[in-house]
């Protein structure tokens, strides 16, 4: 399973993959591609969620165990064994992102059955935030859609092809965008480099990417890249 990220902190993404069969992470750092790094952590059924949880500028290997709802993070700032973190329950979906804007990715999960987001800000783990957004069948797509440096709670409704964002600058005034159809895969990222997450979907049936750049939302971009059966890298986890 591909798990690219900037594991060596040089500002360039590294090629990396996780092998569920043996729970091994294999990382080829861009700073020294001849030195294949190997980290042991996880097992079949776990969901890899690498991100910079400690704010040191390096991606930390991490995974979530659906059967127990436990998170395991191996900090690159203090490397050692994977450390068990806050827990959810079976059926939750991990949605880690930097919701408080402190430069560290926060532990968070979405509970489809309740339509609730549980966010544990790294700046204060005791200050749990609970946000109501989405329902069973939706897909969580957090990102910084308003460009304020904080991740926004957001979800995509495949049945309607509708995106709904609760911007952190004004969560009471949600943003809505129409894009996609059932069978598409949401792939929101900052594709135009303006510091805001762009609405985007990948259509496996045709191998096309459709992007609405936030800098010029009237100029929808369609890119042919992929074939049926391919998987877009870093796609959000499915429920």
């Amino acid at each position: 399973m591909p798990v690219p990220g900037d594991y060596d902190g040089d500002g360039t993404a590294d090629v990396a993959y996780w092998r569920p069969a043996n729970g091994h992470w294999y990382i080829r750092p861009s700073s020294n591609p001849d030195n294949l790094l190997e980290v042991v952590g996880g097992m079949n059924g776990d969901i890899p969620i690498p991100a910079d949880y400690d704010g040191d500028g390096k991606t930390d290997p991490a995974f979530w165990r659906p059967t127990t709802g436990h998170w395991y993070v191996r900090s690159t700032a203090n490397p050692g064994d994977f450390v068990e973190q806050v827990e959810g329950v079976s059926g939750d979906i991990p949605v880690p992102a930097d919701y408080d804007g402190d430069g560290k990715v926060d532990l968070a999960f979405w509970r489809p059955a309740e339509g609730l987001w549980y966010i544990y800000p790294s700046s204060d783990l005791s200050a749990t935030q609970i946000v109501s957004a989405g329902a069973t069948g939706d897909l969580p797509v957090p990102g910084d859609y308003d460009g304020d440096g904080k991740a926004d709670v957001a979800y995509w409704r495949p049945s309607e092809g509708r995106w709904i964002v609760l911007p952190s600058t004004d969560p009471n005034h949600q943003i809505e965008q129409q894009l996609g159809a059932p069978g598409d895969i949401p792939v929101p990222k900052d594709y135009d480099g303006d510091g805001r997450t762009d609405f985007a979907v990948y259509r496996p049936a045709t191998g096309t990417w459709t992007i609405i750049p936030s800098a010029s939302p009237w100029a929808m971009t369609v890119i042919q890249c992929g074939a049926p059966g391919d998987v877009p890298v870093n796609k959000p986890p499915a429920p």
Side-chain angles (χ1 to χ4, degrees), residues 5-228:
D6 184 8
Y7 293 89
D8 56 4
D10 66 349
T12 303
D14 307 313
V15 172
Y17 60 95
W18 177 66
R19 186 167 291 164
N22 62 8
H24 286 215
W25 298 63
Y26 300 92
I27 303 165
R28 194 172 296 280
S30 56
S31 57
N32 187 8
D34 292 329
N35 181 29
L36 183 65
L37 303 178
E38 186 174 349
V39 177
V40 180
M43 64 183 187
N44 267 321
D46 291 344
I47 298 175
I49 45 173
D52 184 9
Y53 294 93
D54 55 18
D56 68 347
K58 301 178 182 179
T59 298
D60 306 309
F63 59 91
W64 185 70
R65 186 158 290 163
T67 54
T68 62
H70 290 200
W71 299 63
Y72 298 86
V73 178
R74 182 180 185 272
S75 170
T76 52
N78 297 289
D81 294 333
F82 280 80
V83 177
E84 185 176 346
Q85 301 286 344
V86 67
E87 61 185 68
V89 299
S90 180
D92 290 345
I93 297 174
V95 286
D98 183 8
Y99 294 93
D100 57 4
D102 67 347
K104 301 178 182 180
V105 169
D106 306 315
L107 301 177
F109 59 84
W110 179 59
R111 188 163 292 165
E114 302 174 354
L116 295 178
W117 296 59
Y118 294 83
I119 301 168
Y120 300 84
S122 56
S123 53
D124 185 358
L125 290 175
S126 64
T128 307
Q129 298 175 10
I130 302 177
V131 180
S132 177
T136 299
D138 295 339
L139 292 176
V141 286
D144 185 8
Y145 294 88
D146 56 7
D148 68 345
K150 299 179 182 179
D152 307 312
V153 169
Y155 60 94
W156 180 65
R157 184 159 290 166
S159 60
E160 303 174 3
R162 186 160 59 110
W163 297 65
I164 299 175
V165 180
L166 279 61
S168 55
T169 49
D170 189 0
N172 293 321
H173 291 81
Q174 65 186 29
I175 299 170
E176 294 194 23
Q177 177 66 54
Q178 199 70 32
L179 178 67
D184 291 346
I185 298 172
V187 285
K189 293 288 182 182
D190 181 9
Y191 293 94
D192 55 10
D194 68 345
R196 290 179 287 176
T197 298
D198 305 316
F199 300 103
V201 295
Y202 172 70
R203 184 159 293 170
T206 59
T208 54
W209 300 63
T210 303
I211 303 167
I212 298 179
S214 54
S216 51
W218 60 86
M220 182 182 291
T221 302
V222 179
I223 301 172
Q224 184 70 43
C225 181

